[in-house]
Amino acid sequence: MTFAGNPSSNRYEFGANWASFIDRHYSPERRRMAAQKLLSFLGRQSLEGIHFLDIGSGSGLHSLAALDAKADRIHSFDFDPLSVSTTGKLRHLAGDPPNWNVERGDVLDIDYLNKLGTWNLVYSWGVLHHTGAMWQAIENAARTVAPGGLFFIALYSSNVVRPSAQFWLDVKRRYNAANPHQRRWLEYWYIWRFGLGRNPLRLLSLVKQIYEKKKGRGMSYMTDIRDWLGGWPMEFADDQAVIDFLNRRFDFELVRISTGEACTEFLFRNPIKSTSKPN
Ligand SMILES: C[S@@+](CC[C@H](N)C(=O)[O-])C[C@H]1O[C@@H](n2cnc3c(N)ncnc32)[C@H](O)[C@@H]1O
Protein backbone atom coordinates (compact mmCIF):
# COMPACT_ATOMS: atom_id res chain seq x y z
CA MET A 1 0.00 0.00 0.00
CA THR A 2 1.20 3.46 -0.77
CA PHE A 3 -0.29 6.46 0.86
CA ALA A 4 0.81 9.87 -0.25
CA GLY A 5 0.30 13.42 0.86
CA ASN A 6 0.21 16.20 -1.69
CA PRO A 7 3.89 17.09 -2.09
CA SER A 8 3.30 20.64 -3.19
CA SER A 9 1.51 21.76 -0.03
CA ASN A 10 3.17 22.77 3.24
CA ARG A 11 6.53 21.02 3.09
CA TYR A 12 7.59 20.49 6.71
CA GLU A 13 10.63 22.44 7.92
CA PHE A 14 12.75 19.36 8.68
CA GLY A 15 15.94 21.41 8.78
CA ALA A 16 14.74 23.70 11.58
CA ASN A 17 13.95 20.63 13.70
CA TRP A 18 17.41 19.16 13.04
CA ALA A 19 19.13 22.46 13.78
CA SER A 20 17.36 22.64 17.14
CA PHE A 21 18.20 18.97 17.86
CA ILE A 22 21.92 19.62 17.40
CA ASP A 23 21.83 22.94 19.31
CA ARG A 24 20.02 21.44 22.29
CA HIS A 25 20.82 17.75 22.34
CA TYR A 26 24.12 17.04 20.61
CA SER A 27 26.44 15.10 22.89
CA PRO A 28 29.44 12.80 22.51
CA GLU A 29 27.24 10.03 23.93
CA ARG A 30 24.64 10.42 21.14
CA ARG A 31 27.49 10.53 18.63
CA ARG A 32 28.87 7.23 19.98
CA MET A 33 25.44 5.60 20.02
CA ALA A 34 24.74 6.61 16.42
CA ALA A 35 28.02 5.00 15.30
CA GLN A 36 27.33 1.85 17.33
CA LYS A 37 23.85 1.46 15.85
CA LEU A 38 25.10 2.05 12.31
CA LEU A 39 27.83 -0.59 12.63
CA SER A 40 25.61 -3.08 14.40
CA PHE A 41 22.92 -3.03 11.69
CA LEU A 42 25.63 -3.39 9.06
CA GLY A 43 27.23 -6.21 11.06
CA ARG A 44 30.67 -4.58 10.78
CA GLN A 45 33.42 -3.46 13.15
CA SER A 46 34.31 -0.42 11.06
CA LEU A 47 33.61 1.30 7.73
CA GLU A 48 37.22 1.22 6.57
CA GLY A 49 37.36 1.06 2.78
CA ILE A 50 33.78 2.38 2.52
CA HIS A 51 32.59 5.32 0.44
CA PHE A 52 29.47 6.46 2.28
CA LEU A 53 26.67 8.42 0.61
CA ASP A 54 24.16 9.92 3.07
CA ILE A 55 20.97 10.88 1.23
CA GLY A 56 18.86 13.29 3.29
CA SER A 57 21.45 13.72 6.04
CA GLY A 58 19.13 15.76 8.34
CA SER A 59 21.18 16.62 11.45
CA GLY A 60 24.29 14.99 9.97
CA LEU A 61 24.70 12.78 13.05
CA HIS A 62 24.83 9.60 10.96
CA SER A 63 27.36 11.04 8.53
CA LEU A 64 29.41 11.90 11.58
CA ALA A 65 28.87 8.33 12.78
CA ALA A 66 30.24 7.08 9.44
CA LEU A 67 33.28 9.31 9.91
CA ASP A 68 33.80 7.94 13.42
CA ALA A 69 33.44 4.43 12.00
CA LYS A 70 36.38 5.30 9.70
CA ALA A 71 34.60 5.51 6.35
CA ASP A 72 37.17 6.53 3.70
CA ARG A 73 34.92 9.08 2.03
CA ILE A 74 31.58 10.64 2.97
CA HIS A 75 29.18 12.70 0.91
CA SER A 76 26.10 14.11 2.66
CA PHE A 77 23.31 15.94 0.93
CA ASP A 78 19.87 17.16 1.85
CA PHE A 79 17.08 19.13 0.21
CA ASP A 80 16.55 21.47 3.18
CA PRO A 81 19.19 24.21 3.49
CA LEU A 82 18.99 24.11 7.30
CA SER A 83 19.67 20.37 7.30
CA VAL A 84 22.68 21.10 5.08
CA SER A 85 24.03 23.81 7.39
CA THR A 86 23.42 21.61 10.46
CA THR A 87 25.30 18.72 8.85
CA GLY A 88 28.03 21.25 7.99
CA LYS A 89 28.15 22.26 11.64
CA LEU A 90 28.87 18.67 12.69
CA ARG A 91 31.50 18.41 9.96
CA HIS A 92 33.11 21.53 11.41
CA LEU A 93 32.93 20.04 14.91
CA ALA A 94 34.78 17.01 13.53
CA GLY A 95 37.60 19.30 12.33
CA ASP A 96 36.45 19.89 8.71
CA PRO A 97 37.81 16.57 7.43
CA PRO A 98 38.65 16.80 3.69
CA ASN A 99 37.14 13.36 3.00
CA TRP A 100 33.63 14.57 4.07
CA ASN A 101 31.67 16.72 1.67
CA VAL A 102 28.31 18.34 2.55
CA GLU A 103 26.00 20.07 0.10
CA ARG A 104 22.43 20.75 -0.90
CA GLY A 105 20.94 18.19 -3.26
CA ASP A 106 17.69 16.54 -4.23
CA VAL A 107 17.32 12.77 -4.52
CA LEU A 108 14.68 13.37 -7.18
CA ASP A 109 17.21 15.24 -9.35
CA ILE A 110 18.69 12.50 -11.52
CA ASP A 111 21.27 14.82 -13.12
CA TYR A 112 22.63 15.65 -9.67
CA LEU A 113 22.79 11.95 -8.72
CA ASN A 114 24.54 11.05 -11.97
CA LYS A 115 27.27 13.52 -11.09
CA LEU A 116 27.75 11.80 -7.73
CA GLY A 117 28.47 8.44 -9.35
CA THR A 118 28.22 5.22 -7.33
CA TRP A 119 29.07 4.44 -3.72
CA ASN A 120 29.68 1.22 -1.86
CA LEU A 121 27.40 2.18 1.03
CA VAL A 122 24.31 4.30 0.38
CA TYR A 123 22.42 5.30 3.50
CA SER A 124 19.04 6.98 3.47
CA TRP A 125 17.23 6.72 6.78
CA GLY A 126 13.68 8.08 6.98
CA VAL A 127 14.04 10.21 3.86
CA LEU A 128 12.70 8.65 0.67
CA HIS A 129 9.08 8.59 1.97
CA HIS A 130 9.28 12.38 2.55
CA THR A 131 10.07 13.36 -1.04
CA GLY A 132 6.54 13.32 -2.48
CA ALA A 133 7.61 10.62 -4.98
CA MET A 134 8.77 7.72 -2.85
CA TRP A 135 9.16 5.00 -5.50
CA GLN A 136 11.06 7.33 -7.81
CA ALA A 137 13.26 8.35 -4.89
CA ILE A 138 13.94 4.68 -4.01
CA GLU A 139 14.83 4.00 -7.62
CA ASN A 140 17.11 7.05 -7.92
CA ALA A 141 18.86 6.26 -4.64
CA ALA A 142 19.33 2.61 -5.65
CA ARG A 143 21.11 3.74 -8.83
CA THR A 144 23.88 5.28 -6.72
CA VAL A 145 24.81 1.89 -5.19
CA ALA A 146 27.98 0.47 -6.74
CA PRO A 147 28.03 -3.19 -7.84
CA GLY A 148 28.71 -5.23 -4.72
CA GLY A 149 27.68 -2.23 -2.58
CA LEU A 150 25.14 -1.94 0.23
CA PHE A 151 21.89 0.01 0.39
CA PHE A 152 20.66 0.85 3.92
CA ILE A 153 17.25 2.53 3.91
CA ALA A 154 14.44 3.07 6.41
CA LEU A 155 10.86 3.72 5.31
CA TYR A 156 7.56 4.26 7.13
CA SER A 157 5.88 0.90 7.06
CA SER A 158 2.22 0.56 6.11
CA ASN A 159 2.30 -2.81 7.90
CA VAL A 160 2.45 -1.28 11.37
CA VAL A 161 0.77 2.13 11.11
CA ARG A 162 -1.91 2.60 13.81
CA PRO A 163 -4.68 3.76 14.06
CA SER A 164 -4.52 4.32 10.26
CA ALA A 165 -2.59 6.19 7.60
CA GLN A 166 -5.59 8.51 7.11
CA PHE A 167 -5.60 9.38 10.81
CA TRP A 168 -1.95 10.53 10.65
CA LEU A 169 -2.50 12.38 7.42
CA ASP A 170 -5.17 14.48 9.15
CA VAL A 171 -2.94 15.08 12.19
CA LYS A 172 -0.07 16.16 9.94
CA ARG A 173 -2.31 18.57 8.05
CA ARG A 174 -3.33 20.16 11.32
CA TYR A 175 0.21 20.29 12.66
CA ASN A 176 1.63 21.93 9.55
CA ALA A 177 -1.16 24.50 9.46
CA ALA A 178 -0.77 25.31 13.18
CA ASN A 179 1.12 28.18 14.82
CA PRO A 180 3.98 27.38 17.25
CA HIS A 181 1.66 27.49 20.28
CA GLN A 182 -0.87 25.13 18.69
CA ARG A 183 1.96 22.83 17.60
CA ARG A 184 3.14 22.59 21.20
CA TRP A 185 -0.37 21.50 22.24
CA LEU A 186 -0.47 18.86 19.50
CA GLU A 187 2.88 17.56 20.81
CA TYR A 188 1.43 17.34 24.33
CA TRP A 189 -1.64 15.58 22.93
CA TYR A 190 0.63 13.07 21.17
CA ILE A 191 2.56 12.34 24.37
CA TRP A 192 -0.66 11.93 26.35
CA ARG A 193 -2.38 9.68 23.83
CA PHE A 194 0.50 7.66 22.35
CA GLY A 195 3.40 8.14 24.77
CA LEU A 196 1.33 7.51 27.91
CA GLY A 197 -1.59 5.69 26.30
CA ARG A 198 -3.89 8.10 28.25
CA ASN A 199 -2.60 6.54 31.49
CA PRO A 200 -0.38 8.63 33.81
CA LEU A 201 0.79 5.42 35.49
CA ARG A 202 2.75 4.65 32.33
CA LEU A 203 5.14 7.52 33.05
CA LEU A 204 7.98 5.16 33.94
CA SER A 205 7.64 3.25 30.70
CA LEU A 206 7.61 6.57 28.83
CA VAL A 207 10.88 7.57 30.51
CA LYS A 208 12.31 4.21 29.43
CA GLN A 209 11.09 4.85 25.87
CA ILE A 210 12.82 8.25 25.87
CA TYR A 211 16.08 6.65 26.99
CA GLU A 212 15.75 3.85 24.40
CA LYS A 213 15.35 6.47 21.68
CA LYS A 214 18.74 7.90 22.58
CA LYS A 215 20.28 4.46 22.86
CA GLY A 216 18.93 3.47 19.44
CA ARG A 217 20.25 5.96 16.89
CA GLY A 218 21.27 8.77 19.23
CA MET A 219 18.00 10.60 18.53
CA SER A 220 15.78 12.62 20.88
CA TYR A 221 12.17 11.78 21.76
CA MET A 222 10.83 15.32 21.23
CA THR A 223 12.74 15.84 17.97
CA ASP A 224 11.29 12.59 16.65
CA ILE A 225 7.76 13.52 17.76
CA ARG A 226 7.99 16.83 15.86
CA ASP A 227 9.42 15.06 12.83
CA TRP A 228 6.60 12.49 12.98
CA LEU A 229 3.80 15.04 13.50
CA GLY A 230 5.18 17.46 10.92
CA GLY A 231 6.98 15.26 8.39
CA TRP A 232 5.41 16.17 5.06
CA PRO A 233 5.08 15.11 2.26
CA MET A 234 4.74 11.58 3.47
CA GLU A 235 4.07 8.08 2.15
CA PHE A 236 3.91 4.62 3.68
CA ALA A 237 5.37 1.54 2.02
CA ASP A 238 4.53 -2.12 2.38
CA ASP A 239 7.71 -3.95 3.49
CA GLN A 240 7.37 -6.75 0.96
CA ALA A 241 6.60 -4.30 -1.85
CA VAL A 242 9.95 -2.58 -1.19
CA ILE A 243 11.82 -5.90 -1.26
CA ASP A 244 10.04 -6.98 -4.46
CA PHE A 245 10.60 -3.60 -6.15
CA LEU A 246 14.36 -3.57 -5.54
CA ASN A 247 14.70 -7.20 -6.47
CA ARG A 248 12.68 -6.89 -9.68
CA ARG A 249 14.21 -3.61 -10.77
CA PHE A 250 17.86 -4.05 -9.72
CA ASP A 251 18.28 -7.67 -8.54
CA PHE A 252 19.10 -6.28 -5.07
CA GLU A 253 19.22 -8.99 -2.41
CA LEU A 254 17.85 -8.39 1.06
CA VAL A 255 20.63 -8.87 3.62
CA ARG A 256 18.82 -7.76 6.79
CA ILE A 257 15.48 -6.28 7.84
CA SER A 258 14.26 -4.82 11.10
CA THR A 259 10.49 -4.46 11.47
CA GLY A 260 7.98 -3.55 14.15
CA GLU A 261 8.85 0.15 14.54
CA ALA A 262 7.27 3.00 12.56
CA CYS A 263 10.19 2.78 10.13
CA THR A 264 11.27 -0.58 8.74
CA GLU A 265 15.03 -0.74 8.21
CA PHE A 266 16.30 -2.63 5.17
CA LEU A 267 19.82 -3.58 4.19
CA PHE A 268 20.20 -4.66 0.57
CA ARG A 269 23.20 -5.71 -1.45
CA ASN A 270 23.65 -4.86 -5.10
CA PRO A 271 25.06 -8.02 -6.60
CA ILE A 272 28.22 -7.58 -8.65
CA LYS A 273 27.55 -7.13 -12.37
CA SER A 274 23.89 -6.28 -11.79
CA THR A 275 22.25 -4.05 -14.37
CA SER A 276 18.85 -2.47 -13.90
CA LYS A 277 16.03 -4.21 -15.72
CA PRO A 278 13.30 -2.52 -17.73
CA ASN A 279 9.92 -2.05 -16.00
C1 LIG B 1 13.17 12.50 8.78
S1 LIG B 1 14.56 13.36 8.22
C2 LIG B 1 15.82 12.10 8.35
C3 LIG B 1 17.20 12.66 8.52
C4 LIG B 1 18.33 11.64 8.72
N1 LIG B 1 18.47 10.78 7.57
C5 LIG B 1 18.14 10.86 9.97
O1 LIG B 1 18.06 9.64 9.90
O2 LIG B 1 18.11 11.44 11.05
C6 LIG B 1 14.28 13.49 6.49
C7 LIG B 1 15.29 14.35 5.77
O3 LIG B 1 15.10 14.15 4.36
C8 LIG B 1 15.29 15.38 3.71
N2 LIG B 1 14.67 15.34 2.37
C9 LIG B 1 13.34 15.42 2.08
N3 LIG B 1 13.18 15.38 0.74
C10 LIG B 1 14.42 15.26 0.19
C11 LIG B 1 14.90 15.19 -1.15
N4 LIG B 1 14.06 15.22 -2.18
N5 LIG B 1 16.23 15.08 -1.36
C12 LIG B 1 17.09 15.05 -0.30
N6 LIG B 1 16.69 15.13 0.99
C13 LIG B 1 15.38 15.24 1.24
C14 LIG B 1 14.64 16.36 4.65
O4 LIG B 1 15.03 17.69 4.39
C15 LIG B 1 15.11 15.84 6.01
O5 LIG B 1 16.31 16.44 6.44
Side-chain angles (χ1 to χ4, degrees), residues 25 66 94 149 178 183 185 277:
H25 301 293
R183 282 187 179 194
W185 277 104
K277 296 185 276 185

Side-chain angles (χ1 to χ4, degrees), residues 11 14 18 56-58 62 77-80 83 105-108 125-127 130-131 217 219 227:
R11 180 177 273 277
F14 287 101
W18 291 125
S57 58
H62 306 284
F77 75 87
D78 199 288
F79 184 84
D80 189 314
S83 293
D106 181 353
V107 71
L108 296 178
W125 210 104
V127 176
H130 283 314
T131 56
R217 300 178 62 243
M219 297 284 104
D227 187 277

Side-chain angles (χ1 to χ4, degrees), residues 174-186:
R174 278 169 54 208
Y175 189 84
N176 280 301
N179 63 36
H181 179 73
Q182 293 165 325
R183 282 187 179 194
R184 186 58 53 88
W185 277 104
L186 278 166

Side-chain angles (χ1 to χ4, degrees), residues 103-174:
E103 67 185 9
R104 182 159 188 256
D106 181 353
V107 71
L108 296 178
D109 179 350
I110 200 72
D111 292 336
Y112 171 68
L113 293 185
N114 284 340
K115 279 187 214 138
L116 294 181
T118 56
W119 298 72
N120 52 11
L121 174 52
V122 175
Y123 178 81
S124 192
W125 210 104
V127 176
L128 307 170
H129 50 224
H130 283 314
T131 56
M134 182 179 67
W135 294 103
Q136 188 62 56
I138 296 174
E139 165 144 1
N140 291 359
R143 287 183 185 283
T144 64
V145 184
L150 295 168
F151 190 39
F152 181 175
I153 57 174
L155 298 168
Y156 280 131
S157 174
S158 63
N159 307 108
V160 296
V161 63
R162 302 280 180 275
S164 70
Q166 187 59 48
F167 174 87
W168 289 111
L169 179 64
D170 291 342
V171 170
K172 280 162 178 285
R173 264 208 205 96
R174 278 169 54 208

